[in-house]
Structures are given as structure tokens and as C-alpha cells.
Amino acid sequence: KEDGLTPQGLDSAKFVGSKLKKFKEPLRLGASEFYRAQKTVIGIAMGRGQDTTVTDTISALNDDWYMIDRQLVNQAEQKEGGWEATSLYAYTGAYSGEDADINAYYNLEERSVELIELLLDKYKDEPDKFIMLSSHDKLMVPFVAYCSGRRIQHVKERGNHWWINYL
């Protein structure tokens, strides 16, 4: 949780922020409990030339949101590889449910809806027009898979499958 961004990562975040200058309203900044996620939104704010205060630290945005048990996820990752286990879960349902050989992850649909409801509830009374939240691939891969109906499948190839890894 203490690792930060590389200088290149901070430059990339600032670049993203510079592309968001056309939106005049300040972004409300939030991130997981991980320092690198917080530094990402800070870099985006710097690139926009706005206040860099991270107002929200949201534990649900941590990389373990979809995990039932980190040790079981580690077993799946040893079998498949690091991000591959998360992608298999997100895109095929592997490692989830009673029939899985390793039941390491929550039901994708139920857990995704829970996250959406949590965030909608958190920001329902906020006057801010734009909210920028930063998280991790182990949350983003399943979340994007759910939100896209598993249609966004590009970046890293494994066999004949293409899955997002980083967004």
C-alpha cells in the first residue's frame, strides 16, 4: 500500500489531467487506500492545474474487492499466472461459485452491483459534477468486464483470448 508511482507514471497521470482541462469544474478526487492510486489522481489534478487534495479514500476500491480469500486467489494465480487468474474469473467465471475447483472470487454480477450501489450512495448528495476515482487492475478488470457485458476484451493475449489488463 505504500508504493508510489514511478516518475513516468506521474508524468502519464499529469498528461491525462492536461487532456481533461476542457472540463472547467474541479474534479473531486478519490482513490483506494493504496498510495499509488492516490498519487495517480493527484497527478491528474496537477495536470489540470487544480487542487490536489484527495478527499476520499475508499477501501472498496482496493485490489481485493472481488476476492473472497486472498490465499485462494494466490493459488489460482500460481496455477494461471498473476493477472490471468483475474481475467479468467472476469471473462469466464473461473474460480467463482460452488462448482469451481478454487472458489476464490465473489459472484461477478452481485459484487459489481454492490460496488456501483456503494459509490452511488456515497456521492448521491454531492454537488460535484465530476468525480475521479483511482483503483487497480484486480478491481478494474472484473468491473469493466461486468459493465461492458464482457465485450471489452483487448490488450493482453492469452491463447485465443484477448483481455484487458490495465486501463
Side-chain angles (χ1 to χ4, degrees), residues 144-156:
V144 169
Y146 170 76
C147 290
S148 73
R150 294 182 170 103
R151 286 187 298 268
I152 296 177
Q153 299 183 34
H154 190 62
V155 174
K156 296 285 185 177

Side-chain angles (χ1 to χ4, degrees), residues 3 5 43-44 74 78 83 85 87-88 123 152 160-161:
D3 290 342
L5 290 178
I44 291 169
N74 289 344
Q78 288 173 358
W83 65 266
S87 291
L88 280 167
Y123 294 110
I152 296 177
N160 61 356
H161 294 93

